[in-house]
Amino acid sequence: MRKIFNRRQVLVGVSALLVASAPAVTASATGDVVADAVRRMSLEEKVGQLFVTYAYGATVDTADPASVAANRRQHGVDNAEQLIGKYHLGGIIYFAWSGNTADPAQVAALSNGIQRVSSIPALVSTDQEYGVVSRIGEPVTPFPGNMALGAARDPEAAGEAALIAGRELRAMGVNQDFAPVADVNVNALNPVIGVRSFAEDPELTARLVEAQVRGYERGGVSATAKHFPGHGDTAVDSHTGLPVIGHSREDWERLDAPPFRRAIAAGIDSIMTAHIVVLALDPAGDPATLSRPIITGILRDRLGYDGVVVTDSLGMAGVRQKYGDDRVPVLALKAGVDQLLMPPNIDLAFNAVLAAVRGGELTERRIDQSVRRILRMKAKRGLFDDRFVDPAKLPEIVGTTPNKQAAQRITDRTTTLVRNEVLPLRTPPASVFTTGWGTTADPVPQRLATAVSRRAATADALATGANPNQATIDRAVAGANAADLTIVATNRAWTDVGQQNLVKALLATGKPVVVIAVRDPYDIAYFPEARTYLATYSYTEVSMESAVRVLYGEHAPVGKLPVTIPVAGDPSTALHPFGHGLTWEG
């Protein structure tokens, strides 16, 4: 195993040419550095650049017994340092469940460790979509997520949120964010996209995608529009099955393509594939990730995209049903993909690609093509100039008071009042009972109670979980009967009869009840008798604060539904149309 070059002599020696924001950087200069790097790499090192996966542990060289044991089970190594060294990885992805994201200082130190042991600067990525998908929590500035921004209909605000997010991520050493979601959510029963989408309207989605792409990348992070060619009209979760989309090519052009076209026009660094079948785009029935007609024929040739294409996780069921784990990475590369994300067996996948090149199924020239794209993206982000971050600067950048004030201001324009009988509260209630969906990690009723208590009311909270039983519902009813006002939070109640029964029981008390959908806005279709109903699209603290501000009349609701709420069981009939939203003066 040979070193491809001495970092100090080659990479750092030309680093002055590669500052992403410096106007002196030219395409030819970047191209020269990338070409020189590719020439010096062995085949194994080139193949390693294509792979991005995770490692357990809070540090690059962790000796924590639980993390070491998990890494050995999954990868046959002790820690990220050994994993990077063995497979020459081009990137690492962070998750909370793999122990990578305890706090900004730890994340920054881990990022610096990864860069220290990588012979070529590493892409450090995560899925920081905000809202319901956030891998790094507070004190990182919380934002309410895409559908909330869709309700605000403000590209400038969406771009500001992404700019702040990008700067904070980059300060922690994260340089590729798998966001924004560019899927157009036209299926109310979509089990995996939902509020991760901006809207059901292609043009609104496209405008907000463009704004966020520009914001993230101005903030120093490579944005990733996902999931191409569009995951918004599925009733199957590609984590657990293989969705088949029945859109015609004309449907795809009208509904799914506009956000990706706008992202490409904005100069996006990377696009993520979807493990979905779109027969109108590829009659062979291959998932898009493995489809040359879709990735090369449409994304590359028709849309003119020559940036990095990254797969969704190769451990998902949607990409593993038709081919074995040894064939999937090879077929993805043949389709036109560049980055191979989270194969279920990194050793099998790595050696399968090597074997395909040595056996002639893939050419080294094809591998070089992807490596050049990946290195160009690293150069664009300035990683060859300075791959490290300064942990001492974190308090100046991450979770600052101005950032959090901006997040609250943006969120205040997203809350949507769908139905109203009691708001604003002209006479503040003396006692408020908050209940409904909540977890240990996201104690939503308690968040609501805390916000209410700041308004001088007595507030009691009871979290009932996702699917409460009758005994829990009875406790909630007792709490409602003892209070002047009840606030009940629902989270995808269309999937849980227990939540539906809880809301109906609370409404049956005859006491004032405010229902807040803290995720999908579609819940009201399953308890249409609710007379006061708000949609916040997320359960972050800023979203709950915004909802309570609306309740108390501190600001008028201005959010508009970015999707249609259909009648339960009748998706063709609107209960509340796209664009609906109540307000009042003041």
Side-chain angles (χ1 to χ4, degrees), residues 50 333 337-338 366-375:
L50 310 179
L333 292 169
V337 160
D338 303 305
R366 168 67 190 90
I367 301 301
D368 289 352
Q369 186 180 44
S370 285
V371 173
R372 281 193 294 270
R373 289 190 186 110
I374 292 166
L375 295 185

Side-chain angles (χ1 to χ4, degrees), residues 122-488:
L123 287 167
V124 178
S125 59
T126 195
D127 296 280
Q128 192 79 351
E129 300 173 14
Y130 295 88
V132 301
V133 178
S134 297
R135 309 302 188 197
I136 310 173
E138 293 197 56
V140 169
T141 301
F143 288 98
N146 283 2
M147 194 169 283
L149 295 173
R153 286 166 164 69
D154 185 349
E156 184 176 346
E160 181 183 7
L163 176 61
I164 292 170
R167 287 173 174 165
E168 292 194 357
L169 288 169
R170 187 58 186 264
M172 295 180 284
V174 176
N175 47 54
Q176 184 180 21
D177 190 13
F178 294 139
V181 171
D183 303 316
V184 180
N185 199 76
V186 296
N187 188 336
L189 300 181
N190 194 320
V192 65
I193 303 301
V195 293
R196 297 168 65 196
S197 165
F198 287 107
E200 69 178 30
D201 178 72
E203 180 57 28
L204 174 59
T205 302
R207 291 200 308 270
L208 298 178
V209 165
E210 177 183 10
Q212 290 229 302
V213 168
R214 295 187 188 280
Y216 280 122
E217 297 194 351
R218 280 179 57 211
V221 170
S222 289
T224 309
K226 60 186 185 185
H227 308 76
F228 189 85
H231 210 316
D233 193 12
T234 62
V236 173
D237 184 345
S238 53
H239 291 85
T240 58
L242 178 57
V244 178
I245 294 182
H247 288 185
S248 67
R249 184 174 286 266
E250 292 73 21
D251 290 335
W252 179 80
E253 289 280 4
R254 177 175 54 86
L255 289 172
D256 302 294
F260 293 101
R261 288 185 185 275
R262 197 72 67 91
I264 292 168
I268 193 166
D269 282 0
S270 54
I271 290 177
M272 180 179 284
T273 68
H275 305 324
I276 59 174
V277 169
V278 187
L279 293 172
L281 305 183
D282 182 1
D286 284 331
T289 298
L290 310 182
S291 169
R292 186 169 179 83
I294 292 175
I295 302 304
T296 296
I298 296 177
L299 181 56
R300 297 283 191 207
D301 297 341
R302 185 166 182 177
L303 300 187
Y305 179 66
D306 192 39
V308 170
V309 176
V310 55
T311 72
D312 207 341
S313 168
L314 297 182
M316 294 165 59
V319 79
R320 302 176 71 190
Q321 292 194 358
K322 192 172 180 180
Y323 303 100
D325 291 339
D326 60 332
R327 295 298 299 153
V328 165
V330 175
L331 294 174
L333 292 169
K334 292 177 75 173
V337 160
D338 303 305
Q339 285 185 298
L340 302 165
L341 179 64
M342 296 170 61
N345 184 326
I346 183 68
D347 192 73
L348 177 68
F350 180 85
N351 285 296
V353 174
L354 280 179
V357 177
R358 290 169 176 157
E361 185 178 6
L362 288 168
T363 65
E364 190 163 354
R365 182 179 178 183
R366 168 67 190 90
I367 301 301
D368 289 352
Q369 186 180 44
S370 285
V371 173
R372 281 193 294 270
R373 289 190 186 110
I374 292 166
L375 295 185
R376 283 202 306 264
M377 186 165 76
K378 293 180 178 186
K380 184 179 178 182
R381 290 297 127 221
L383 298 180
F384 288 99
D385 174 70
D386 186 1
R387 65 179 77 183
F388 300 103
V389 296
D390 184 356
K393 293 183 178 179
L394 287 170
E396 304 169 16
I397 302 171
V398 178
T400 64
T401 296
N403 285 359
K404 292 190 173 183
Q405 289 173 340
Q408 190 65 66
R409 170 174 47 80
I410 290 168
T411 305
D412 282 348
R413 298 190 61 79
T414 68
T415 304
T416 306
L417 183 59
V418 179
R419 288 188 185 174
N420 186 32
E421 193 172 71
V422 299
L423 302 181
L425 299 171
R426 302 298 184 189
T427 303
S431 61
V432 177
F433 177 59
T434 63
T435 188
W437 181 86
T439 68
T440 301
D442 289 293
V444 171
Q446 187 57 53
R447 286 176 183 168
L448 288 165
T450 299
V452 166
S453 296
R454 289 196 291 267
R455 276 79 181 173
T458 299
D460 294 318
L462 172 66
T464 59
N467 202 14
N469 58 27
Q470 190 57 50
T472 302
I473 292 172
D474 290 344
R475 288 178 60 199
V477 167
N481 280 322
D484 296 325
L485 174 73
T486 293
I487 306 171
V488 55

Side-chain angles (χ1 to χ4, degrees), residues 566-583:
V567 172
D570 185 4
S572 64
T573 302
L575 180 65
H576 292 287
F578 173 89
H580 172 75
L582 306 176
T583 191

Side-chain angles (χ1 to χ4, degrees), residues 107-119:
V107 173
L110 176 58
S111 300
N112 281 343
I114 288 167
Q115 299 294 2
R116 175 176 53 80
V117 303
S118 298
S119 59

